[in-house]
Amino acid sequence: MVWYEAALLMVGGLLFLMFFGMPVAIAFLAINIVGVYIFMGGMIGIDQLVANATTSVTSFALVPVPLFLIMGELLFHTGLAIRVFDALDKCFGGIKGRLSYLTVGGGTIFATLSGSSMANTAMLGTTLMPDMIKRGYKPHMIMGPILATGGLAMIIPPSSLAVLLGSLARIDVGALLIAGLVPGLVLAAMFAATIRLQIAADPEAAPGYAAERASIGEIARALLLDVMPMGIVVFAVVGLILLGWATPTESAAFGALSVIVLAALYRKLTWAAVVKSMTGTLAVSAMMLMIIVGSTTFSQILAFSGASSGLITFATSFELNAYLILAAMFLVLIVLGMFMDQLSIMMLTLPIFMPLVGLYDFDPIWFGVIMLLALELSLVTPPFGLLLFVMVGVSPKGTRIGHVARAAFPYICCTMLLVVLLTLFPQLALWLPGLIRS
């Protein structure tokens, strides 16, 4: 079988099964069974498939994923995240569009603490949306900032998806985690500027109202008691890696431990919160690991059948500029994001993309940040962007995907602008990892 027939069978078959609603993990398993039977010698290939199942999910590099998920779940269910928002609320006073700015500021901090885009979006929607509706904010000033800031957890460390990307693409996980910090903060600043421009264009979009002003003492007390202790969690996750004192796995463990200690000190570590946190972590982790089992073998079959090398030879035969190839890869990620979840997209594309990254001499850490931004965009890409559905779920009745997508559009433009900036100035992503290495 020639390479393009093998690629069509594997990739086309997988997309076909997903199109008809088959769960991602089952679709990978089904197409893998067909692939190993055809390309790896029948039942011997099936035996190899079973052996790969254990090897693919027992990687030490995957340990931070459930630990980061535990952190986010505990912060949400113990109410520690809400305390941060209440403290920041006192700082913003009565400025116009206060709650939209609070969404960006508080959401960025929570992204630094949680590592989960879904948890970030769900928490922002359930805590801030009711008050914003009551204050008369227009829908795009409510849903846009929540959607945009929810996706920041994809690139600001700790990001569970960055850990998966690093381990699957064989990129330094610690360097990739740190590389997302500066671009993430730049993106948050862009979101705040977008809110300011929207308010300037339509002052009624975020009506002003007389907010109760907190005294300097109250603000200082709230920051000291509710925000500053969260710095322990940030230091445990980001600081330990920056200082070279811990690996990503160790820092994830310290981060989870620090959240447990803080919740206990605040007397919020209840049995109900622990059970809910562990249940949520188990559900997401199991889903991720099942997909990894299938996708690892999928990558091996593509390589074994010659599809991967054939695709690379075909792509390079056009002698295109390296950045046109990058743009094509970015576009593929966005299009796939309309129909697939982010983990499945990574599994499908990494076996093809990473050889091209090496061939065109792209820095793998820089490319990892670009890919995470593309995956963040795919979360809000109609018709099936995951965060769009989360937003509809926490919005008032009658809210449709179209309303949510229009609200997200200006913030999608911000992410696209950041991708351009990263292409022109790669040091935005590479400066911090270079600092650690030196």
Side-chain angles (χ1 to χ4, degrees):
M1 189 179 292
V2 293
W3 72 266
Y4 52 84
E5 291 177 345
L8 182 63
L9 172 66
M10 296 301 297
V11 178
L14 182 64
L15 294 176
F16 177 80
L17 293 175
M18 289 181 180
F19 180 78
F20 283 99
M22 183 175 287
V24 175
I26 304 301
F28 266 117
L29 179 61
I31 203 67
N32 283 344
I33 291 173
V34 174
V36 296
Y37 196 85
I38 293 174
F39 299 114
M40 293 186 175
M43 290 308 298
I44 297 174
I46 303 293
D47 292 339
Q48 184 62 41
L49 172 65
V50 174
N52 286 345
T54 304
T55 307
S56 59
V57 294
T58 52
S59 170
F60 188 66
L62 294 176
V63 175
V65 174
L67 292 172
F68 286 152
L69 290 172
I70 288 171
M71 281 176 52
E73 293 282 342
L74 281 172
L75 284 164
F76 179 69
H77 290 296
T78 59
L80 293 182
I82 307 300
R83 295 177 70 101
V84 173
F85 276 94
D86 291 340
L88 291 177
D89 194 27
K90 291 182 171 66
C91 301
F92 281 96
I95 64 172
K96 200 169 183 65
R98 176 176 68 96
L99 293 175
S100 294
Y101 290 118
L102 178 61
T103 301
V104 173
T108 302
I109 291 176
F110 188 63
T112 313
L113 299 172
S114 73
S116 169
S117 295
M118 282 189 64
N120 212 18
T121 304
M123 193 210 65
L124 292 171
T126 53
T127 56
L128 294 177
M129 180 175 276
D131 197 25
M132 296 171 89
I133 294 172
K134 186 174 70 175
R135 301 292 182 185
Y137 281 61
K138 289 187 178 179
H140 69 276
M141 294 299 295
I142 301 172
M143 295 185 291
I146 290 174
L147 275 170
T149 313
L152 280 177
M154 182 100 42
I155 58 171
I156 291 183
S159 165
S160 53
L161 205 66
V163 174
L164 287 169
L165 175 59
S167 59
L168 293 168
R170 292 179 173 81
I171 301 171
D172 184 338
V173 172
L176 182 58
L177 282 171
I178 298 303
L181 185 58
V182 173
L185 295 177
V186 170
L187 191 56
M190 287 182 179
F191 292 160
T194 301
I195 292 169
R196 180 70 189 89
L197 290 173
Q198 287 180 315
I199 293 173
D202 181 10
E204 294 304 312
Y209 59 93
E212 184 180 338
R213 278 192 171 277
S215 66
I216 297 297
E218 288 174 327
I219 292 174
R221 185 173 183 276
L223 291 175
L224 184 64
L225 293 180
D226 296 329
V227 178
M228 293 297 288
M230 295 301 119
I232 298 172
V233 183
V234 176
F235 175 77
V237 176
V238 181
L240 292 178
I241 297 176
L242 277 172
L243 293 170
W245 293 352
T247 64
T249 302
E250 292 163 347
S251 67
F254 280 118
L257 178 62
S258 63
V259 173
I260 292 171
V261 171
L262 284 175
L265 291 174
Y266 282 111
R267 297 182 179 178
K268 298 288 185 180
L269 192 64
T270 62
W271 180 247
V274 171
V275 170
K276 287 178 182 177
S277 300
M278 294 303 168
T279 302
T281 301
L282 180 62
V284 177
S285 299
M287 179 271 294
M288 286 183 171
L289 293 175
M290 283 181 68
I291 294 174
I292 289 170
V293 166
S295 62
T296 303
T297 305
F298 181 81
S299 302
Q300 292 175 347
I301 297 170
L302 282 180
F304 193 84
S305 66
S308 295
S309 58
L311 281 167
I312 293 165
T313 304
F314 176 73
T316 54
S317 65
F318 293 102
E319 297 183 358
L320 296 175
N321 181 281
Y323 291 103
L324 285 177
I325 293 292
L326 179 68
M329 289 192 285
F330 194 86
L331 183 61
V332 167
L333 292 171
I334 298 300
V335 172
L336 289 177
M338 298 179 185
F339 310 103
M340 298 169 66
D341 67 274
Q342 283 59 47
L343 188 55
S344 302
I345 294 169
M346 284 198 315
M347 303 308 180
L348 188 63
T349 57
L350 282 175
I352 301 166
F353 284 1
M354 291 315 294
L356 289 172
V357 168
L359 188 67
Y360 285 95
D361 204 28
F362 292 131
D363 187 292
I365 295 170
W366 172 82
F367 177 78
V369 175
I370 296 287
M371 189 166 181
L372 287 172
L373 285 168
L375 293 172
E376 180 195 327
L377 273 181
S378 71
L379 284 171
V380 291
T381 305
F384 299 119
L386 188 59
L387 292 189
L388 298 179
F389 289 105
V390 174
M391 193 74 251
V392 170
V394 299
S395 297
K397 286 186 177 179
T399 302
R400 294 193 294 272
I401 289 288
H403 300 149
V404 179
R406 283 194 293 273
F409 180 73
Y411 303 91
I412 290 175
C413 293
C414 289
T415 306
M416 294 296 291
L417 177 58
L418 179 61
V419 171
V420 173
L421 289 175
L422 280 168
T423 304
L424 296 173
F425 309 104
Q427 286 304 115
L428 276 174
L430 299 177
W431 174 67
L432 269 181
L435 198 65
I436 297 172
R437 287 169 179 165
S438 61

